[in-house]
Amino acid sequence: MEIGIARKVLEAMREDLDRSILVLQGEHPRARGAGMEAGDAGANLTEADRNEAAVESARAQRAEVVAALTRVQDGSYGKCVDCGQPVPEGRLEARPTTARCVACQAKRDRRRR
Ligand SMILES: [Zn+2]
């Protein structure tokens, strides 16, 4: 993927995530970690928890996008962060935040489980 295009795609992803995070936080201000109100707190807990999980996941995705943008800037985008081999084009197109080649990602996933 051409680096200019990658940068545009990643910047658009970051903007989308920023918006999603704002919307999610706006829906349930409690998910921000603000003080719990007495009364309906119990009833809303599950929903607030789900919302918090959604915010966390959006934040994690945003961190990946920012890391990819940093690699665009320092010229290492498209190379595996572990072995330095080029990441296949199709893989980058499917997931522009991809930081590793297939082999290194598989190794990493195995370690996690
Ligand atoms: Zn690799």
Side-chain angles (χ1 to χ4, degrees), residues 19-29 31 51 54-56 58:
R19 264 195 299 273
S20 307
I21 291 167
L22 279 178
V23 168
L24 286 166
Q25 285 179 336
E27 276 172 9
H28 293 276
N51 181 264
V55 171
E56 294 260 306

Side-chain angles (χ1 to χ4, degrees), residues 80-85 99-105:
C80 173
V81 294
D82 284 350
C83 69
Q85 293 298 307
R100 288 176 185 80
C101 68
V102 182
C104 290
Q105 188 63 54

Side-chain angles (χ1 to χ4, degrees), residues 10-106:
L10 289 164
E11 279 171 354
M13 285 172 82
R14 187 179 55 186
E15 276 168 33
D16 276 356
L17 286 165
D18 276 344
R19 264 195 299 273
S20 307
I21 291 167
L22 279 178
V23 168
L24 286 166
Q25 285 179 336
E27 276 172 9
H28 293 276
R30 237 176 266 141
R32 241 179 298 185
M36 295 282 261
E37 294 144 36
D40 66 340
N44 287 333
L45 194 61
T46 312
E47 206 185 336
D49 279 351
R50 241 200 318 270
N51 181 264
E52 197 165 354
V55 171
E56 294 260 306
S57 134
R59 284 219 179 98
Q61 281 177 57
R62 190 186 186 280
E64 277 187 22
V65 172
V66 169
L69 276 168
T70 306
R71 293 196 300 277
V72 168
Q73 246 148 32
D74 69 20
S76 65
Y77 183 77
K79 289 192 200 105
C80 173
V81 294
D82 284 350
C83 69
Q85 293 298 307
V87 178
E89 284 281 302
R91 189 168 162 81
L92 279 175
E93 273 164 29
R95 193 156 170 267
T97 55
T98 302
R100 288 176 185 80
C101 68
V102 182
C104 290
Q105 188 63 54

